Amino acid sequence: MFNKIIKRGSRKPSKSDVSEPSIYSSSAAAASTRPPSSAAVAAVTVNNSSRPTVSPPLTSSNPSLPIEPLPLLREAPAQERPSLFSRKLVICSAVFDFSDVLRSAREKEVKRQTLLELVDYVQSGSSGKLPYYLQDELIKMVSANIFRCLPPSPTSEATSGGGGGGGADAEDEDPYLEPSWPHLALVYELLLRFVVSSDTDTKIAKRYIDHSFVLKFLDLFDSEDPREREYLKTILHRIYGKFMVHRPFIRKAINNIFYRFIFETERHSGIGELLEILGSIINGFALPMKEEHKLFLVRALIPLHKPKVVGGYHQQLSYCITQFVEKDYKLADTVIRGLLKYWPVTNCQKEVLFLGELEEILEVTQSAEFQRCMVPLFRQIGRCLNSSHFQVSERALFLWNNDHIVSLIAQNRSVIFPIIYEALERNIQSHWNQAVHGLTVNVRKMFLEMDSDLFKECQRQYAEKEAKSKALQEQRELAWKRLEDVAARAAAASDDMVMVN
């Protein structure tokens, strides 16, 4: 039997062996408490500039032998459990091809059951404090499973030549679901249980969950599978909370993902999940806020309003922005001016989102900061009031339903009334939508009750402006009429000369 194993181990592997690696059986692995050395799979390059290429996984050597189930950890003597745990990690390091469901079905089930046992073993606390070499092997097993080349985005080929994001089409398509999820889910669960375990010593674990691991882990957020992104979000949040030494690096790496998304690709599946993590991080910022955090707001968060696909993550982005203003009210002017900088011109859906976010920001804005930006702000609101898209006009009028915003307007009515009055009058005179017309009448009435003298002065100025505009229009029409008469006389004189000749 031993000679047969030697011969099989020395033969050249077939194509099927290379495409689906296996590992040593339990009898062969019993000779050592450490897993066999790993061999790298040939690198796979995806011709897709919009998605990061994650390093290919390391898979176990000698793929010719089948996987055999091992004894349960709970039933093994205490002194043999570390060795058995290591051998089970070797089984779980095997990466299978899930494109064919029936292929290696038995080996896949053995791996799945082994992963379930390891998750339960770590979660129950039976493992205690894992020795440093087992922690190393555990992270290597996790890396072999999760770090892989992500499939190309379904919209990448259609949009690669245009330089855009294809946001609307991407939202309509069904998300890609990872076929190997039955194994990946358990691997992620095992990593989560290891990170949150009170028995995990961060001083030792940080050697293996290092910067390289975190960087590859962040690359996985571009996965099309929403189930995977949910696990990634939870685990990264736990890593950030437990490994304080990694916090600046994680923030910087997320910044770089945002920069690439904003200024290069405008395609990334995990922006919303990353913003959810940042929302919790921003909530824990100490005061006074560091300059690093303010730069992050100006250089990354505010420009995230620029991409066409902002609707996919706008709720999380708005929460992060509002958290900054709540933390430091002096940032309100910076945020509002940044919002006006990226205000959409032709995208009405984005305008509705921006108006909703603007209301949330104004609700936590103090009077001093409001005064700094109210002139450009209400010029933009005035343009929104006159929008032919009724949802934009309606959403802008809803701002007057907020008591705090109304109080800010009342305090600065001498500046705001003259800016906004003309837009209200135009809506009343010519807007096609009855709901917008009714809301405009209510806002106009609110202005009248707030300061009747100022209202009458604005009314007088508007009437004078309209009269001047009408007189100018009449002058232009008269001038054109004169030109037409001169041209007609010149044409008639030309015709007469031709007749004479």
Side-chain angles (χ1 to χ4, degrees):
M1 179 65 180
F2 181 76
N3 290 333
K4 289 182 180 180
I5 295 175
I6 294 297
K7 288 179 181 178
R8 293 177 67 183
S10 61
R11 71 179 175 87
K12 185 177 179 179
S14 64
K15 291 183 179 180
S16 62
D17 293 334
V18 174
S19 63
E20 185 177 321
S22 184
I23 58 173
Y24 288 109
S25 65
S26 57
S27 59
S32 174
T33 61
R34 303 295 296 275
S37 59
S38 300
V41 177
V44 179
T45 303
V46 179
N47 187 16
N48 183 3
S49 61
S50 68
R51 300 174 69 81
T53 301
V54 183
S55 300
L58 298 177
T59 54
S60 301
S61 60
N62 196 3
S64 59
L65 296 178
I67 291 178
E68 297 294 338
L70 297 173
L72 296 176
L73 286 163
R74 294 181 183 277
E75 297 176 358
Q79 64 273 16
E80 296 181 10
R81 287 179 183 174
S83 171
L84 185 58
F85 191 91
S86 177
R87 290 158 60 192
K88 287 180 179 289
L89 289 176
V90 175
I91 289 177
C92 297
S93 296
V95 180
F96 294 99
D97 179 11
F98 277 80
S99 60
D100 185 353
V101 179
L102 298 179
R103 188 176 184 182
S104 305
R106 177 181 170 278
E107 286 79 4
K108 291 175 183 175
E109 181 60 21
V110 170
K111 176 182 174 180
R112 193 182 72 85
Q113 293 294 338
T114 305
L115 283 168
L116 280 169
E117 183 191 1
L118 291 180
V119 170
D120 181 66
Y121 189 67
V122 173
Q123 183 178 2
S124 64
S126 305
S127 59
K129 291 188 176 181
L130 291 175
Y132 70 92
Y133 68 89
L134 284 185
Q135 294 187 39
D136 185 18
E137 292 170 3
L138 173 63
I139 298 303
K140 285 181 179 177
M141 182 277 291
V142 170
S143 300
N145 281 275
I146 67 174
F147 295 148
R148 65 205 189 280
C149 290
L150 297 175
S153 170
T155 58
S156 61
E157 294 183 4
T159 59
S160 58
D169 295 337
E171 289 178 4
D172 293 339
E173 294 191 11
D174 294 332
Y176 169 82
L177 298 180
E178 177 62 48
S180 61
W181 186 247
H183 287 181
L184 274 180
L186 294 173
V187 173
Y188 279 123
E189 186 67 25
L190 178 59
L191 176 60
L192 176 61
R193 296 304 164 191
F194 171 72
V195 170
V196 302
S197 174
S198 58
D199 293 323
T200 300
D201 187 352
T202 55
K203 293 181 180 179
I204 297 175
K206 71 180 181 181
R207 303 175 191 173
Y208 314 115
I209 302 180
D210 55 7
H211 285 181
S212 175
F213 181 90
V214 169
L215 206 56
K216 293 176 182 177
F217 196 80
L218 281 166
D219 285 341
L220 292 173
F221 273 86
D222 202 15
S223 170
E224 292 285 330
D225 195 327
R227 302 170 299 180
E228 182 171 15
R229 296 200 304 271
E230 191 66 23
Y231 258 116
L232 291 166
K233 177 185 71 175
T234 304
I235 295 170
L236 183 63
H237 192 196
R238 296 291 188 173
I239 290 174
Y240 187 91
K242 191 158 191 171
F243 296 84
M244 295 184 66
V245 66
H246 292 336
R247 290 183 180 181
F249 179 80
I250 290 173
R251 292 196 300 267
K252 184 177 180 181
I254 293 176
N255 276 6
N256 292 336
I257 291 174
F258 287 165
Y259 294 152
R260 188 166 183 265
F261 169 71
I262 297 165
F263 302 110
E264 294 181 16
T265 66
E266 288 197 7
R267 285 191 295 268
H268 196 285
S269 301
I271 299 297
E273 285 79 7
L274 290 171
L275 286 169
E276 283 188 48
I277 297 170
L278 286 170
S280 179
I281 293 173
I282 295 167
N283 194 31
F285 281 165
L287 294 176
M289 199 174 294
K290 295 180 180 178
E291 192 64 26
E292 168 204 345
H293 304 326
K294 295 179 182 179
L295 288 175
F296 167 67
L297 169 68
V298 174
R299 295 178 179 177
L301 283 187
I302 293 178
L304 274 174
H305 291 86
K306 174 179 173 283
K308 292 185 292 185
V309 294
V310 65
Y313 55 82
H314 183 263
Q315 184 179 356
Q316 296 92 331
L317 175 61
S318 178
Y319 177 78
C320 291
I321 295 285
T322 308
Q323 286 288 307
F324 265 103
V325 181
E326 287 181 351
K327 283 281 181 180
D328 187 352
Y329 65 91
K330 293 182 180 179
L331 293 172
D333 175 51
T334 301
V335 168
I336 292 173
R337 289 183 182 275
L339 203 60
L340 295 175
K341 177 182 178 181
Y342 295 104
W343 200 277
V345 178
T346 59
N347 191 327
C348 297
Q349 283 73 28
K350 279 183 70 172
E351 279 198 275
V352 173
L353 293 176
F354 276 43
L355 286 165
E357 181 179 355
L358 182 63
E359 180 175 358
E360 293 181 9
I361 295 167
L362 288 175
E363 201 164 0
V364 293
T365 300
Q366 303 298 321
S367 180
E369 281 63 44
F370 178 79
Q371 290 173 359
R372 294 192 182 98
C373 61
M374 61 184 177
V375 173
L377 172 61
F378 276 87
R379 284 176 180 163
Q380 181 59 58
I381 291 175
R383 287 190 286 270
C384 292
L385 290 176
N386 293 143
S387 173
S388 58
H389 195 290
F390 78 97
Q391 289 180 335
V392 175
S393 184
E394 194 174 54
R395 190 64 188 84
L397 288 163
F398 282 159
L399 293 174
W400 276 266
N401 290 342
N402 189 296
D403 293 338
H404 181 69
I405 297 176
V406 170
S407 68
L408 290 173
I409 293 173
Q411 294 170 22
N412 303 277
R413 57 185 179 272
S414 60
V415 176
I416 295 173
F417 276 17
I419 297 174
I420 216 73
Y421 183 85
E422 183 176 348
L424 295 174
E425 288 296 326
R426 287 181 180 176
N427 269 8
I428 291 173
Q429 292 173 11
S430 59
H431 203 284
W432 64 272
N433 186 273
Q434 290 300 315
V436 171
H437 189 276
L439 288 169
T440 305
V441 170
N442 292 338
V443 173
R444 187 175 181 274
K445 183 180 178 182
M446 188 183 301
F447 279 169
L448 177 61
E449 294 173 351
M450 196 178 291
D451 193 331
S452 59
D453 293 337
L454 181 59
F455 181 87
K456 291 176 182 178
E457 177 62 23
C458 292
Q459 194 174 36
R460 184 188 63 78
Q461 291 178 0
Y462 175 75
E464 289 180 357
K465 184 177 179 181
E466 285 295 298
K468 289 180 181 178
S469 178
K470 187 177 180 180
L472 183 61
Q473 182 65 25
E474 290 175 353
Q475 290 177 5
R476 287 174 180 169
E477 291 176 357
L478 183 60
W480 278 110
K481 192 175 184 307
R482 287 172 181 172
L483 286 173
E484 289 172 357
D485 292 341
V486 170
R489 286 196 298 270
S494 178
D495 292 340
D496 292 341
M497 290 179 65
V498 170
M499 291 292 292
V500 170
N501 293 332

